[in-house]
Amino acid sequence: MSYEIATLRGDGIGPEIIDQSVKALDAALRIFPNVQMNFTYLDGGADYYARTGQVAPDNTWKEMAAADAILFGSMGHPEIRMPDGTEVQGHFIVKARKTLDLYAGIRPIKSYPGARGVDPNAEVDLVLVRESTEGLFASFGGGAQIGDDVFADMMIVTRKGTDRVSRYALELARTRRGRPSDGTQLVTCVDKANIFRSLAFFRQVFDEVATEYPDISTDHALVDSFSMLMMQHPERYDVLVTENMFGDILSDLAAALVGGLGLAPSGDIGEDHAMFQPAHGSAPDIAGQDRANPVATIVSARMMLEWLAARHDDDNLRKAADLIERSVIATMAEGQRTVDLDGDLTCSQFGDAVAATITRLGAEL
Ligand code: ATP
């Protein structure tokens, strides 16, 4: 099988981390020569905007829509702003989610060897499912301005949007081993149903959908106290489902449980398209220094293989995904790490190390 991958390196550390994930994919696909992957590199981002006045050319949007999957690095630079004062990355990512209808933002958070989170003894293996097309991002790029001193963005929660993201979370729970504390397959709806009508509705729709999944346990949490509970007892959680903005914030917070943003992958999934990218941004403070941690991007590429494997029933891709995951774990277990995890490898050295492990473990298959 052959797959077309629309690839956006973007800004900041984006090119560095994408290069490592392509390195890992190339190494894995050498083990499975029946699978081919063509990477088409596309323009877009803050630097592109500074040069052209456009966030991305038309061709990028066309290629993204036509590709089998999208692999994305990161975008944005705090000094490059749109006329409304916002940064460029939101305009790209929110447009991609809306036009390709990527409604479920999947953010797995799990421990990797040698990476210390806020509680080094905590058992963490949870997935945050972020509704990605509505919520507080629904009016993005619009909103309302009343005079010079009043601005508004509106929270939009629809039955359709909540139904499908709840369903996604419940289906996902069925495929997992359950929460680390006792193996219960659990979906926790994180909301603020005690204050906002829109989020009370989110909870109501979630509860309605959950009745169709009697085999999956469910509960609710209010986002404020949940933020504390997740940090104190991450082992009690399995799958979380939440509104767009809450998901944005909680996923960065959750990354602290396992050692930081460099370990937080993500997939933006829709019915017909999917985009895979690290949960972090372009990290301009370390860009161009070859010191970013590429794990989140390599693991995002692994998620891309799993999504393609399920969609095309391609067992080789499934095996390639598994090989990449095992190789990241094995590489880190050998003590090979980037500087954010107190290691001494550069971004590209770590990418080389993972590729070498893939080749070694692949030869044993
Ligand atoms: P955005 O809003 O675009 O998501 P952000 O404001 O959340 O971006 P990031 O770019 O994610 O900011 O960076 C936050 C901090 O995390 C920075 O100090 C950055 O250096 C660090 N960081 C982010 N990604 C990585 C990575 N892959 N490796 C090491 N450090 C990282």
Side-chain angles (χ1 to χ4, degrees):
M1 289 278 279
S2 178
Y3 299 94
E4 296 297 324
I5 309 299
T7 312
L8 287 121
R9 296 165 90 229
D11 307 306
I13 60 171
E16 304 162 40
I17 54 180
I18 281 291
D19 289 353
Q20 307 320 310
S21 70
V22 172
K23 212 182 259 179
L25 288 167
D26 280 342
L29 296 181
R30 274 196 290 277
I31 309 290
F32 299 98
N34 291 343
V35 182
Q36 280 175 6
M37 223 156 238
N38 301 317
F39 300 94
T40 303
Y41 289 91
L42 302 171
D43 283 328
D47 292 335
Y48 185 82
Y49 178 78
R51 286 200 310 274
T52 66
Q54 267 188 306
V55 171
D58 290 346
N59 179 51
T60 291
W61 299 111
K62 271 193 217 127
E63 293 277 355
M64 283 168 63
D68 292 302
I70 302 158
L71 184 62
F72 181 98
S74 56
M75 278 183 189
H77 196 285
E79 277 152 34
I80 301 175
R81 299 272 173 167
M82 307 288 285
D84 66 0
T86 56
E87 286 187 43
V88 171
Q89 65 272 32
H91 293 266
F92 183 89
I93 294 169
V94 174
K95 181 172 172 185
R97 289 179 183 142
K98 284 187 177 165
T99 54
L100 301 174
D101 204 20
L102 309 175
Y103 65 89
I106 311 304
R107 288 151 179 236
I109 301 286
K110 75 169 198 181
S111 307
Y112 281 91
R116 287 162 60 91
V118 284
D119 174 359
N121 298 317
E123 280 184 277
V124 189
D125 184 2
L126 57 85
V127 182
L128 190 146
V129 180
R130 164 186 176 184
E131 198 297 317
S132 295
T133 54
E134 45 189 57
L136 196 53
F137 283 71
S139 60
F140 183 84
Q145 176 177 358
I146 304 162
D148 289 336
D149 296 323
V150 179
F151 291 79
D153 288 299
M154 192 183 285
M155 171 92 81
I156 303 286
V157 174
T158 68
R159 179 177 293 281
K160 179 184 167 199
T162 311
D163 182 297
R164 64 185 182 173
V165 79
S166 299
R167 218 168 271 286
Y168 193 99
L170 289 152
E171 292 285 346
L172 178 65
R174 277 190 172 153
T175 67
R176 288 172 47 82
R177 285 178 308 176
R179 63 180 179 184
S181 60
D182 61 5
T184 303
Q185 289 176 307
L186 172 71
V187 181
T188 305
C189 175
V190 184
D191 55 47
K192 190 73 180 165
N194 57 337
I195 301 290
F196 294 104
R197 288 174 68 182
S198 55
L199 297 171
F201 182 62
F202 189 96
R203 182 183 287 200
Q204 177 198 319
V205 175
F206 169 76
D207 284 345
E208 285 167 17
V209 176
T211 60
E212 296 175 39
Y213 295 81
D215 51 317
I216 302 297
S217 301
T218 58
D219 68 359
H220 313 110
L222 298 172
V223 65
D224 39 358
S225 54
F226 174 79
S227 306
M228 180 190 72
L229 289 171
M230 180 179 72
M231 300 313 277
Q232 286 180 324
H233 301 291
E235 73 285 354
R236 291 184 191 167
Y237 300 103
D238 177 15
V239 176
L240 316 170
V241 63
T242 192
E243 178 274 332
N244 207 339
M245 185 68 182
F246 292 165
D248 189 26
I249 298 167
L250 285 175
S251 56
D252 277 27
L253 182 63
L257 288 167
V258 294
L261 285 168
L263 298 168
S266 88
D268 288 294
I269 313 285
E271 297 297 336
D272 302 315
H273 304 278
M275 177 165 84
F276 297 86
Q277 59 169 322
H280 58 73
S282 59
D285 51 334
I286 57 166
Q289 299 169 35
D290 197 17
R291 54 180 296 204
N293 184 345
V295 168
T297 319
I298 295 172
V299 178
S300 301
R302 185 268 290 163
M303 291 169 65
M304 177 177 82
L305 297 192
E306 279 172 355
W307 182 80
L308 286 169
R311 202 171 159 75
H312 300 277
D313 196 17
D314 186 334
D315 208 39
N316 284 319
L317 269 191
R318 217 168 272 128
K319 288 181 188 153
D322 178 61
L323 177 60
I324 291 178
E325 181 70 13
R326 287 193 296 115
S327 300
V328 170
I329 292 170
T331 305
M332 293 183 71
E334 286 163 3
Q336 308 205 65
R337 291 191 287 276
T338 44
V339 286
D340 56 313
L341 302 177
D342 298 328
D344 54 11
L345 297 191
T346 63
C347 179
S348 49
Q349 284 170 339
F350 184 83
D352 289 342
V354 171
T357 312
I358 290 171
T359 306
R360 177 164 53 82
L361 296 183
E364 294 166 9
L365 287 176

